[in-house]
Amino acid sequence: ITTAPSAAGQAQYAQIIETARELMGVPYVFGGNTTAGFDCSGFVSHLFNSTGTELARKSSLDYFLQNTTQVQQPVPGDIVFFKNTYIATVSHMGIYLGDGEFIHASSRGIEVAKLDTKYWEERFIGYKRFNDIK
């Protein structure tokens, strides 16, 4: 994808980011997809489902392979993917915030991180967009 989402898509992204920031500090729970606790893909699916895009609960790898298209120039709200975080394949995802930051469910809970830190830079795969976002 080489273009930004439509005005409706960008409005949804703004709502996703606002909701994500409101969830800062919610604890990490493996397999979690509620405000009681999230893992990375549960967090992302919760955000999109709460703003009108129906996503079945899947792993980061499944979302990477099945529901998304690579983005050349990401905009805030696009998805960022990583590999080799706890398994040797696509294993983590978050929401791109712009300015080299993303929000995600880390082992410390929902937090903002920088893409240029050594840990994330070494594991970065790329940016993608859910196919339902036009």
Side-chain angles (χ1 to χ4, degrees):
I1 298 174
T2 58
T3 60
S6 67
Q10 290 187 50
Q12 183 178 2
Y13 274 1
Q15 188 178 4
I16 284 168
I17 290 169
E18 180 181 338
T19 302
R21 289 187 182 279
E22 291 170 358
L23 296 170
M24 293 277 289
V26 169
Y28 179 86
V29 173
F30 186 80
N33 62 351
T34 71
T35 55
F38 293 106
D39 67 9
C40 65
S41 58
F43 177 59
V44 170
S45 66
H46 173 83
L47 292 170
F48 279 84
N49 282 318
S50 71
T51 60
T53 297
E54 291 187 36
L55 294 177
R57 177 71 163 87
K58 297 181 180 184
S59 70
S60 298
L61 177 60
D62 286 340
Y63 285 134
F64 183 83
L65 295 174
Q66 300 172 5
N67 295 78
T68 55
T69 301
Q70 186 175 3
V71 175
Q72 296 300 319
Q73 296 184 343
V75 298
D78 282 334
I79 308 301
V80 60
F81 285 94
F82 303 90
K83 62 184 176 184
N84 303 329
T85 59
Y86 75 99
I87 55 174
T89 186
V90 176
S91 54
H92 194 68
M93 64 192 300
I95 305 287
Y96 182 60
L97 297 175
D99 297 325
E101 294 185 329
F102 68 104
I103 190 166
H104 66 125
S106 80
S107 59
R108 295 174 297 279
I110 305 303
E111 68 176 10
V112 173
K114 293 194 171 287
L115 289 163
D116 65 358
T117 60
K118 184 177 181 184
Y119 181 85
W120 294 116
E121 194 171 62
E122 290 175 346
R123 291 163 175 80
F124 176 78
I125 297 172
Y127 303 98
K128 295 189 95 176
R129 185 172 299 154
F130 282 111
N131 295 331
D132 289 343
I133 302 296
K134 303 295 181 203

